[in-house]
Amino acid sequence: MNTKLILTLAALLFNFSLYAQENDQIGIGKRFSIKSEVLNETRFYNVYLPASYSSKQKATYPVLYVIDGDYNFWYIAGLIEQMASIGNKIPEIIVVGIADKGHENYINNCTPNNKNKSPNGQSEKFLEFIIGELRHKIESSYRTADFNILVGHSLGGYFTVNALLSKPESFNAYIAISPSLWKNDYEAETQVDNFFKNNEHLNRYLFITLANEKGMGVLGFMNKFDINTFADEYYGNAPLGLVYKFQRYPNENHNSVGLISISEGLKYIFSGYDVGEDELEGMKSFAMYEERMKPYINKIGKGFRFPESQLTSLVRKFYNTPEMEVMQNEIQRKYVASLGDFYNALTKTQVRNKKPDEAVSTAEKNCSLNPKSPEYLATLAEALTANKQLDEAKEANRKALEIAREIKSRQWYINQLEADVSKTEKS
């Protein structure tokens, strides 16, 4: 498909506005409501979508569910954007912040029912709402991977721990931040023995933290976990299959510990996702890299995307070698969500190696397969410029900007495209 046809197609696909609206509100995510039959009330929730969501349309994303969402959603979504889209320390993640309905309602939703200690507790119902109603809504509305994480702080952390103890297969990973395990006379600690007795081979993660507080019940709870884990190993019992870590932060207080807990918890769950340049340079084949990334491929499944920076490094490494064809065939066959990124990296590598004709051909093919990606159109503009097709390069840059505005790409990226368009218009 030639460049003119690609650009015409892009114009037909979108009704673009030429200028950004002034005074637009800057925010993270959108707010929605859902009528819960389980709770017999309307619940609100916030959704953050990763930076790549609109332009990488074959990718799927893990989902992180946050208890007390109106309180915690903003900083968690912003932190994940930095860790994933910018820092490449973890995969990109959809964040769902579950709003409360006032403090009393929040307490009841986070506390198990107990006739004497918490007669109004309904955490069992609240968990049923999340996994049976809210998750169904999220999975039917967005491209989600089959990997879900539950996060709660304080009472929300107590709810998170109880969700693990009562229905451990509800989520793939749990992050409990300074959980209030003193509730109901330290009841969570008494449930550990049965938890170990009734579960095996869970393949789940728990990251639990404590700030500089005393009396939260976390130390006794984790001590019970360690004793049971040791007993399982010593007596050769069936392994629980829960990978867990307890981390104390004595320099943080109860309200400040959330940020570091989320950061370290996600890096723990996705440990090793960030492959360094030295390790990539030592890869002898794409198969070696594929094996290295297998834990994350398995977590995310069919819509897994290799980190773009890592893919780019491998394309440069294997360029003009037989391994390049192997890599391309494997990605086409098994990792379709990464195919656009592969072609994009190949285009840039062809430009670097002074093969502008080949670069234009690769970029045109990529844009025809991914017409909603401004990043790939911008790369096409680079290839066209290198091939001295300056008028077509200008048009590709304009279309990249229009699409970026239409799909509401991050503003910093739109700013760069605006600068690129301005520069090419003057040349």
Side-chain angles (χ1 to χ4, degrees):
M1 185 178 290
N2 63 38
T3 299
K4 184 175 290 187
L5 184 56
I6 290 170
L7 298 178
T8 301
L9 176 63
L12 291 173
L13 280 171
F14 300 99
N15 179 20
F16 301 113
S17 60
L18 292 180
Y19 302 100
Q21 295 291 320
E22 293 184 358
N23 301 319
D24 279 352
Q25 183 177 355
I26 298 174
I28 297 177
K30 292 184 179 180
R31 189 169 178 83
F32 302 92
S33 66
I34 181 173
K35 180 67 173 71
S36 170
E37 300 297 329
V38 173
L39 300 175
N40 193 31
E41 62 185 7
T42 298
R43 302 293 308 198
F44 290 89
Y45 61 97
N46 307 319
V47 177
Y48 155 88
L49 295 178
S52 72
Y53 187 88
S54 294
S55 61
K56 314 297 185 187
Q57 297 196 326
K58 295 182 176 66
T60 58
Y61 302 85
V63 185
L64 185 145
Y65 292 86
V66 184
I67 306 302
D68 198 8
D70 283 340
Y71 192 77
N72 297 305
F73 177 79
W74 291 81
Y75 88 83
I76 290 178
L79 175 62
I80 286 176
E81 174 107 343
Q82 196 284 328
M83 292 180 67
S85 305
I86 298 171
N88 293 308
K89 301 297 290 185
I90 61 171
E92 290 185 297
I93 296 173
I94 295 171
V95 180
V96 179
I98 307 168
D100 63 50
K101 294 173 74 72
H103 190 60
E104 183 177 354
N105 179 269
Y106 171 59
I107 293 173
N108 292 336
N109 283 337
C110 289
T111 307
N113 184 268
N114 182 294
K115 184 178 180 180
N116 297 317
K117 301 169 188 173
S118 54
N120 296 319
Q122 59 170 17
S123 64
E124 301 87 348
K125 280 189 174 182
F126 194 52
L127 180 60
E128 184 182 350
F129 155 68
I130 295 171
I131 63 179
E133 295 180 322
L134 180 58
R135 185 186 296 171
H136 175 74
K137 179 65 175 178
I138 296 300
E139 291 176 352
S140 63
S141 301
Y142 304 101
R143 300 190 311 276
T144 62
D146 190 21
F147 192 89
N148 299 290
I149 305 166
L150 180 65
V151 172
H153 186 178
S154 194
L155 276 173
Y158 178 52
F159 174 83
T160 299
V161 168
N162 277 310
L164 170 67
L165 295 175
S166 62
K167 291 187 176 180
E169 295 185 358
S170 299
F171 296 86
N172 301 90
Y174 300 80
I175 300 176
I177 305 167
S178 281
S180 303
L181 299 185
W182 54 267
K183 286 283 289 181
N184 286 3
D185 292 337
Y186 303 88
E187 187 177 39
E189 183 178 331
T190 68
Q191 297 172 1
V192 172
D193 290 342
N194 282 335
F195 175 70
F196 273 77
K197 187 183 301 181
N198 297 328
N199 294 286
E200 57 184 62
H201 306 296
L202 286 176
N203 191 27
R204 295 295 187 266
Y205 297 82
L206 169 65
F207 188 79
I208 186 167
T209 67
L210 183 65
N212 59 6
E213 313 116 304
K214 294 184 174 72
M216 295 296 288
V218 176
L219 296 178
F221 179 82
M222 292 312 303
N223 186 53
K224 200 71 178 284
F225 248 81
D226 290 339
I227 290 171
N228 277 269
T229 299
F230 174 79
D232 273 2
E233 293 173 354
Y234 185 80
Y235 291 110
N237 296 335
L240 180 65
L242 179 72
V243 179
Y244 69 90
K245 181 178 181 180
F246 167 55
Q247 184 66 54
R248 195 165 194 182
Y249 298 105
N251 295 323
E252 302 293 340
N253 61 52
H254 187 69
N255 291 319
S256 72
V257 74
L259 190 69
I260 191 169
S261 296
I262 294 293
S263 175
E264 295 302 308
L266 290 174
K267 284 189 286 188
Y268 178 69
I269 293 166
F270 296 105
S271 177
Y273 178 82
D274 180 20
V275 183
E277 284 294 327
D278 289 344
E279 187 178 356
L280 287 169
E281 186 59 33
M283 298 284 179
K284 304 297 185 185
S285 65
F286 180 70
M288 286 182 64
Y289 175 67
E290 189 178 13
E291 181 65 24
R292 171 67 171 76
M293 298 299 289
K294 185 177 288 186
Y296 322 106
I297 295 169
N298 292 339
K299 281 183 175 72
I300 297 173
K302 184 178 178 181
F304 174 79
R305 274 181 68 221
F306 293 108
E308 285 185 68
S309 60
Q310 295 176 23
L311 206 59
T312 297
S313 294
L314 291 177
V315 168
R316 291 177 180 175
K317 175 179 174 60
F318 295 135
Y319 183 68
N320 273 345
T321 72
E323 193 61 28
M324 176 61 73
E325 184 176 355
V326 173
M327 182 177 177
Q328 179 172 341
N329 290 338
E330 285 295 284
I331 291 174
Q332 286 176 326
R333 187 170 66 91
K334 294 160 62 176
Y335 308 107
V336 65
S338 283
L339 187 58
D341 294 336
F342 170 80
Y343 285 137
N344 202 52
L346 180 57
T347 300
K348 290 177 177 288
T349 302
Q350 288 166 334
V351 170
R352 283 166 56 100
N353 285 271
K354 303 188 185 309
K355 301 285 186 181
D357 284 341
E358 294 178 13
V360 170
S361 178
T362 302
E364 287 178 341
K365 179 179 180 180
N366 198 22
C367 290
S368 67
L369 293 173
N370 302 281
K372 290 187 177 181
S373 174
E375 297 94 331
Y376 301 162
L377 271 167
T379 300
L380 171 61
E382 290 180 33
L384 290 166
T385 299
N387 207 37
K388 303 191 185 312
Q389 296 174 249
L390 300 184
D391 289 339
E392 289 175 297
K394 291 178 183 179
E395 185 63 16
N397 267 329
R398 283 195 291 264
K399 293 303 179 186
L401 175 58
E402 289 169 352
I403 292 176
R405 287 172 175 165
E406 177 70 17
I407 66 175
K408 294 180 170 53
S409 295
R410 298 303 191 254
Q411 188 60 50
W412 66 266
Y413 183 66
I414 291 175
N415 294 345
Q416 184 57 55
L417 289 176
E418 288 174 340
D420 292 342
V421 168
S422 177
K423 182 178 179 179
T424 56
E425 293 294 342
K426 293 176 182 177
S427 62

mmCIF file of all heavy atoms in Angstrom, residues 258-286:
data_model
loop_
_atom_site.group_PDB
_atom_site.id
_atom_site.type_symbol
_atom_site.label_atom_id
_atom_site.label_comp_id
_atom_site.label_asym_id
_atom_site.label_seq_id
_atom_site.Cartn_x
_atom_site.Cartn_y
_atom_site.Cartn_z
ATOM 1 N N GLY A 258 1.816 4.397 51.384
ATOM 2 C CA GLY A 258 1.156 3.872 50.198
ATOM 3 C C GLY A 258 1.995 3.936 48.940
ATOM 4 O O GLY A 258 2.062 2.976 48.160
ATOM 5 N N LEU A 259 2.649 5.064 48.724
ATOM 6 C CA LEU A 259 3.403 5.269 47.480
ATOM 7 C C LEU A 259 4.506 4.232 47.312
ATOM 8 O O LEU A 259 4.590 3.552 46.281
ATOM 9 C CB LEU A 259 4.002 6.678 47.466
ATOM 10 C CG LEU A 259 4.620 7.143 46.145
ATOM 11 C CD1 LEU A 259 3.533 7.358 45.106
ATOM 12 C CD2 LEU A 259 5.401 8.442 46.362
ATOM 13 N N ILE A 260 5.332 4.069 48.323
ATOM 14 C CA ILE A 260 6.438 3.117 48.208
ATOM 15 C C ILE A 260 5.917 1.679 48.196
ATOM 16 O O ILE A 260 6.499 0.801 47.552
ATOM 17 C CB ILE A 260 7.472 3.340 49.334
ATOM 18 C CG1 ILE A 260 8.743 2.538 49.036
ATOM 19 C CG2 ILE A 260 6.904 2.990 50.703
ATOM 20 C CD1 ILE A 260 9.905 2.887 49.942
ATOM 21 N N SER A 261 4.808 1.422 48.884
ATOM 22 C CA SER A 261 4.251 0.069 48.906
ATOM 23 C C SER A 261 3.770 -0.353 47.532
ATOM 24 O O SER A 261 4.003 -1.494 47.102
ATOM 25 C CB SER A 261 3.098 -0.013 49.909
ATOM 26 O OG SER A 261 3.533 0.221 51.228
ATOM 27 N N ILE A 262 3.083 0.545 46.829
ATOM 28 C CA ILE A 262 2.608 0.231 45.477
ATOM 29 C C ILE A 262 3.793 0.035 44.543
ATOM 30 O O ILE A 262 3.853 -0.934 43.770
ATOM 31 C CB ILE A 262 1.691 1.342 44.939
ATOM 32 C CG1 ILE A 262 0.403 1.427 45.759
ATOM 33 C CG2 ILE A 262 1.368 1.111 43.475
ATOM 34 C CD1 ILE A 262 -0.500 0.230 45.615
ATOM 35 N N SER A 263 4.756 0.938 44.609
ATOM 36 C CA SER A 263 5.924 0.853 43.738
ATOM 37 C C SER A 263 6.677 -0.452 43.939
ATOM 38 O O SER A 263 6.935 -1.203 42.987
ATOM 39 C CB SER A 263 6.852 2.044 44.000
ATOM 40 O OG SER A 263 8.046 1.935 43.258
ATOM 41 N N GLU A 264 7.015 -0.751 45.186
ATOM 42 C CA GLU A 264 7.783 -1.956 45.462
ATOM 43 C C GLU A 264 6.942 -3.219 45.275
ATOM 44 O O GLU A 264 7.460 -4.258 44.866
ATOM 45 C CB GLU A 264 8.347 -1.900 46.887
ATOM 46 C CG GLU A 264 9.372 -0.795 47.102
ATOM 47 C CD GLU A 264 10.557 -0.931 46.158
ATOM 48 O OE1 GLU A 264 11.158 -2.015 46.094
ATOM 49 O OE2 GLU A 264 10.880 0.068 45.478
ATOM 50 N N GLY A 265 5.659 -3.139 45.577
ATOM 51 C CA GLY A 265 4.788 -4.291 45.405
ATOM 52 C C GLY A 265 4.653 -4.712 43.953
ATOM 53 O O GLY A 265 4.743 -5.901 43.619
ATOM 54 N N LEU A 266 4.475 -3.737 43.065
ATOM 55 C CA LEU A 266 4.348 -4.064 41.644
ATOM 56 C C LEU A 266 5.676 -4.547 41.068
ATOM 57 O O LEU A 266 5.699 -5.454 40.232
ATOM 58 C CB LEU A 266 3.824 -2.846 40.872
ATOM 59 C CG LEU A 266 2.367 -2.497 41.150
ATOM 60 C CD1 LEU A 266 1.983 -1.193 40.451
ATOM 61 C CD2 LEU A 266 1.425 -3.617 40.704
ATOM 62 N N LYS A 267 6.777 -3.971 41.526
ATOM 63 C CA LYS A 267 8.080 -4.463 41.067
ATOM 64 C C LYS A 267 8.340 -5.884 41.578
ATOM 65 O O LYS A 267 9.006 -6.674 40.896
ATOM 66 C CB LYS A 267 9.196 -3.506 41.520
ATOM 67 C CG LYS A 267 9.249 -2.227 40.686
ATOM 68 C CD LYS A 267 10.465 -1.380 40.986
ATOM 69 C CE LYS A 267 10.369 -0.664 42.291
ATOM 70 N NZ LYS A 267 11.482 0.310 42.487
ATOM 71 N N TYR A 268 7.803 -6.205 42.745
ATOM 72 C CA TYR A 268 7.927 -7.567 43.268
ATOM 73 C C TYR A 268 7.100 -8.545 42.436
ATOM 74 O O TYR A 268 7.582 -9.617 42.049
ATOM 75 C CB TYR A 268 7.469 -7.584 44.723
ATOM 76 C CG TYR A 268 7.494 -8.955 45.366
ATOM 77 C CD1 TYR A 268 8.699 -9.598 45.635
ATOM 78 C CD2 TYR A 268 6.313 -9.597 45.708
ATOM 79 C CE1 TYR A 268 8.728 -10.852 46.235
ATOM 80 C CE2 TYR A 268 6.325 -10.852 46.307
ATOM 81 C CZ TYR A 268 7.525 -11.474 46.572
ATOM 82 O OH TYR A 268 7.548 -12.712 47.156
ATOM 83 N N ILE A 269 5.877 -8.185 42.142
ATOM 84 C CA ILE A 269 4.985 -9.058 41.362
ATOM 85 C C ILE A 269 5.533 -9.272 39.951
ATOM 86 O O ILE A 269 5.446 -10.378 39.403
ATOM 87 C CB ILE A 269 3.569 -8.456 41.320
ATOM 88 C CG1 ILE A 269 2.934 -8.477 42.723
ATOM 89 C CG2 ILE A 269 2.678 -9.206 40.331
ATOM 90 C CD1 ILE A 269 1.701 -7.611 42.852
ATOM 91 N N PHE A 270 6.113 -8.226 39.374
ATOM 92 C CA PHE A 270 6.658 -8.314 38.012
ATOM 93 C C PHE A 270 8.190 -8.273 38.035
ATOM 94 O O PHE A 270 8.821 -7.680 37.151
ATOM 95 C CB PHE A 270 6.106 -7.181 37.147
ATOM 96 C CG PHE A 270 4.617 -7.256 36.942
ATOM 97 C CD1 PHE A 270 3.761 -6.403 37.617
ATOM 98 C CD2 PHE A 270 4.066 -8.193 36.080
ATOM 99 C CE1 PHE A 270 2.378 -6.474 37.432
ATOM 100 C CE2 PHE A 270 2.700 -8.276 35.879
ATOM 101 C CZ PHE A 270 1.852 -7.420 36.564
ATOM 102 N N SER A 271 8.752 -8.912 39.027
ATOM 103 C CA SER A 271 10.200 -8.904 39.190
ATOM 104 C C SER A 271 10.913 -9.430 37.941
ATOM 105 O O SER A 271 10.568 -10.483 37.410
ATOM 106 C CB SER A 271 10.578 -9.769 40.402
ATOM 107 O OG SER A 271 11.965 -9.854 40.551
ATOM 108 N N GLY A 272 11.895 -8.675 37.466
ATOM 109 C CA GLY A 272 12.670 -9.098 36.306
ATOM 110 C C GLY A 272 12.110 -8.656 34.978
ATOM 111 O O GLY A 272 12.694 -8.962 33.930
ATOM 112 N N TYR A 273 11.011 -7.942 34.980
ATOM 113 C CA TYR A 273 10.404 -7.496 33.719
ATOM 114 C C TYR A 273 11.330 -6.545 32.965
ATOM 115 O O TYR A 273 11.383 -6.549 31.737
ATOM 116 C CB TYR A 273 9.070 -6.809 34.031
ATOM 117 C CG TYR A 273 8.342 -6.247 32.832
ATOM 118 C CD1 TYR A 273 7.549 -7.061 32.027
ATOM 119 C CD2 TYR A 273 8.436 -4.895 32.508
ATOM 120 C CE1 TYR A 273 6.876 -6.547 30.941
ATOM 121 C CE2 TYR A 273 7.761 -4.374 31.418
ATOM 122 C CZ TYR A 273 6.984 -5.198 30.635
ATOM 123 O OH TYR A 273 6.317 -4.685 29.552
ATOM 124 N N ASP A 274 12.050 -5.741 33.701
ATOM 125 C CA ASP A 274 12.958 -4.758 33.103
ATOM 126 C C ASP A 274 14.295 -5.436 32.776
ATOM 127 O O ASP A 274 15.132 -5.635 33.654
ATOM 128 C CB ASP A 274 13.168 -3.592 34.077
ATOM 129 C CG ASP A 274 14.088 -2.529 33.529
ATOM 130 O OD1 ASP A 274 14.270 -2.486 32.299
ATOM 131 O OD2 ASP A 274 14.627 -1.748 34.337
ATOM 132 N N VAL A 275 14.495 -5.785 31.521
ATOM 133 C CA VAL A 275 15.726 -6.440 31.082
ATOM 134 C C VAL A 275 16.720 -5.359 30.652
ATOM 135 O O VAL A 275 16.426 -4.548 29.768
ATOM 136 C CB VAL A 275 15.463 -7.407 29.909
ATOM 137 C CG1 VAL A 275 16.745 -8.125 29.511
ATOM 138 C CG2 VAL A 275 14.380 -8.418 30.292
ATOM 139 N N GLY A 276 17.887 -5.340 31.263
ATOM 140 C CA GLY A 276 18.864 -4.297 30.987
ATOM 141 C C GLY A 276 19.586 -4.469 29.663
ATOM 142 O O GLY A 276 19.569 -5.545 29.051
ATOM 143 N N GLU A 277 20.229 -3.405 29.223
ATOM 144 C CA GLU A 277 20.929 -3.407 27.932
ATOM 145 C C GLU A 277 22.045 -4.448 27.888
ATOM 146 O O GLU A 277 22.244 -5.106 26.863
ATOM 147 C CB GLU A 277 21.502 -2.017 27.645
ATOM 148 C CG GLU A 277 20.474 -0.994 27.207
ATOM 149 C CD GLU A 277 19.851 -1.334 25.862
ATOM 150 O OE1 GLU A 277 20.549 -1.912 24.997
ATOM 151 O OE2 GLU A 277 18.658 -1.035 25.676
ATOM 152 N N ASP A 278 22.776 -4.595 28.982
ATOM 153 C CA ASP A 278 23.868 -5.580 28.996
ATOM 154 C C ASP A 278 23.335 -6.992 28.812
ATOM 155 O O ASP A 278 23.920 -7.800 28.074
ATOM 156 C CB ASP A 278 24.655 -5.481 30.309
ATOM 157 C CG ASP A 278 25.482 -4.213 30.406
ATOM 158 O OD1 ASP A 278 25.692 -3.573 29.355
ATOM 159 O OD2 ASP A 278 25.906 -3.868 31.520
ATOM 160 N N GLU A 279 22.218 -7.297 29.470
ATOM 161 C CA GLU A 279 21.632 -8.625 29.320
ATOM 162 C C GLU A 279 21.106 -8.838 27.907
ATOM 163 O O GLU A 279 21.287 -9.914 27.314
ATOM 164 C CB GLU A 279 20.508 -8.827 30.343
ATOM 165 C CG GLU A 279 19.955 -10.245 30.357
ATOM 166 C CD GLU A 279 18.887 -10.460 31.407
ATOM 167 O OE1 GLU A 279 18.610 -9.526 32.188
ATOM 168 O OE2 GLU A 279 18.308 -11.577 31.429
ATOM 169 N N LEU A 280 20.481 -7.807 27.340
ATOM 170 C CA LEU A 280 19.973 -7.911 25.974
ATOM 171 C C LEU A 280 21.115 -8.123 24.981
ATOM 172 O O LEU A 280 20.989 -8.904 24.034
ATOM 173 C CB LEU A 280 19.185 -6.643 25.600
ATOM 174 C CG LEU A 280 17.808 -6.482 26.259
ATOM 175 C CD1 LEU A 280 17.267 -5.080 26.008
ATOM 176 C CD2 LEU A 280 16.828 -7.518 25.722
ATOM 177 N N GLU A 281 22.213 -7.452 25.220
ATOM 178 C CA GLU A 281 23.365 -7.588 24.325
ATOM 179 C C GLU A 281 23.907 -9.013 24.340
ATOM 180 O O GLU A 281 24.460 -9.494 23.349
ATOM 181 C CB GLU A 281 24.455 -6.591 24.729
ATOM 182 C CG GLU A 281 25.645 -6.547 23.786
ATOM 183 C CD GLU A 281 25.269 -6.189 22.352
ATOM 184 O OE1 GLU A 281 24.314 -5.408 22.155
ATOM 185 O OE2 GLU A 281 25.930 -6.718 21.420
ATOM 186 N N GLY A 282 23.722 -9.704 25.459
ATOM 187 C CA GLY A 282 24.217 -11.068 25.558
ATOM 188 C C GLY A 282 23.270 -12.116 24.986
ATOM 189 O O GLY A 282 23.623 -13.307 24.936
ATOM 190 N N MET A 283 22.098 -11.694 24.534
ATOM 191 C CA MET A 283 21.141 -12.648 23.963
ATOM 192 C C MET A 283 21.656 -13.162 22.622
ATOM 193 O O MET A 283 21.928 -12.393 21.707
ATOM 194 C CB MET A 283 19.772 -11.979 23.769
ATOM 195 C CG MET A 283 19.110 -11.501 25.041
ATOM 196 S SD MET A 283 18.419 -12.856 25.977
ATOM 197 C CE MET A 283 17.763 -11.977 27.409
ATOM 198 N N LYS A 284 21.769 -14.471 22.491
ATOM 199 C CA LYS A 284 22.260 -15.073 21.250
ATOM 200 C C LYS A 284 21.157 -15.289 20.223
ATOM 201 O O LYS A 284 21.429 -15.477 19.036
ATOM 202 C CB LYS A 284 22.917 -16.425 21.549
ATOM 203 C CG LYS A 284 24.042 -16.360 22.575
ATOM 204 C CD LYS A 284 25.192 -15.508 22.083
ATOM 205 C CE LYS A 284 26.353 -15.547 23.075
ATOM 206 N NZ LYS A 284 27.446 -14.629 22.680
ATOM 207 N N SER A 285 19.903 -15.283 20.692
ATOM 208 C CA SER A 285 18.793 -15.557 19.790
ATOM 209 C C SER A 285 17.523 -14.952 20.360
ATOM 210 O O SER A 285 17.444 -14.629 21.556
ATOM 211 C CB SER A 285 18.604 -17.065 19.601
ATOM 212 O OG SER A 285 18.210 -17.660 20.826
ATOM 213 N N PHE A 286 16.519 -14.821 19.513
ATOM 214 C CA PHE A 286 15.227 -14.356 19.994
ATOM 215 C C PHE A 286 14.615 -15.375 20.945
ATOM 216 O O PHE A 286 13.909 -15.016 21.891
ATOM 217 C CB PHE A 286 14.286 -14.089 18.819
ATOM 218 C CG PHE A 286 12.929 -13.596 19.240
ATOM 219 C CD1 PHE A 286 12.768 -12.333 19.774
ATOM 220 C CD2 PHE A 286 11.811 -14.420 19.129
ATOM 221 C CE1 PHE A 286 11.520 -11.876 20.191
ATOM 222 C CE2 PHE A 286 10.558 -13.978 19.536
ATOM 223 C CZ PHE A 286 10.418 -12.708 20.069
#
